[in-house]
Amino acid sequence: MRVAGLLLAAGAGRRFGGPKALVSHGDGLWVDRAAAVLRDAGCSPVVVVLGAAASSVRARATLDGCVVVDNPDWATGMGSSLRTGLDALTGADVAAVVVLPVDTPGVTAAAVERFRALASPAALARASYDGAPGHPVLIGVGHWAGVSAAAVGDAGARDYLRAHHALDVPCDDVADGRDVDHPRDLPP
């Protein structure tokens, strides 16, 4: 069963001081690192959604083997990027998609593999860290229309996942799910 990867990397990173796709901390650009996590976990295809500074990301990032799409409405929030990515996957021969935002550099291929193992057209799951919801998120193709309809602003699929009782998948043992919103949040 094929499982796609969807990397949300369109934001301007206003609180961070610039687009997080272009952050280079540790092992290269975050956008390249996150795309590699999805690929290394076996996701195919991997769709990367760009928006703010898309031309700079294209010029600096490698994104080997990825399908790169632009979200013209990126400034409206993560919801529009999620919809753009799901639209790009429409018609693909996949049962589900693993969604990962670019600002979670502690998520590993091992965490994504847990979600690939749960994939089905009806699957709906999200990572949890110390009991709190996080990323990655698994969305079966049967939920794509509902998620797209509910994805507005910066909430993405959060309300849909809650309303449809998404399975919580503990990932503390294989990943760090913290969102990095400010430079002070960067790991040492």
Side-chain angles (χ1 to χ4, degrees):
M1 184 173 312
R2 279 184 55 197
V3 179
L6 175 53
L7 176 56
L8 305 178
R14 286 185 263 290
R15 291 177 288 177
F16 193 86
K20 292 183 233 175
L22 293 170
V23 172
S24 182
H25 182 78
D27 55 352
L29 294 178
W30 279 1
V31 69
D32 284 323
R33 189 210 164 279
V37 164
L38 291 168
R39 280 193 315 269
D40 292 350
C43 294
S44 179
V46 172
V47 173
V48 179
V49 180
L50 300 179
S55 59
S56 294
V57 175
R58 279 189 172 85
R60 292 183 52 199
T62 306
L63 298 176
D64 289 337
C66 294
V67 176
V68 181
V69 297
D70 289 319
N71 173 11
D73 299 321
W74 64 267
T76 64
M78 183 174 42
S80 65
S81 291
L82 180 56
R83 289 190 311 272
T84 298
L86 291 176
D87 286 348
L89 286 165
T90 299
D93 183 24
V94 296
V97 63
V98 175
V99 181
L100 185 64
V102 75
D103 64 351
T104 54
V107 172
T108 62
V112 174
E113 287 170 357
R114 283 194 178 160
F115 289 87
R116 281 195 58 243
L118 298 171
S120 76
L124 196 61
R126 63 181 170 196
S128 66
Y129 300 90
D130 292 324
H135 288 92
V137 169
L138 175 69
I139 305 170
V141 69
H143 290 282
W144 291 5
V147 166
S148 288
V152 294
D154 277 326
R158 183 181 318 141
D159 293 340
Y160 187 91
L161 293 168
R162 188 179 316 113
H164 291 83
H165 309 288
L167 175 67
D168 283 329
V169 179
C171 290
D172 304 276
D173 61 324
V174 293
D176 177 350
R178 284 180 288 177
D179 290 348
V180 178
D181 290 326
H182 302 276
R184 68 178 177 264
D185 299 332
L186 288 169

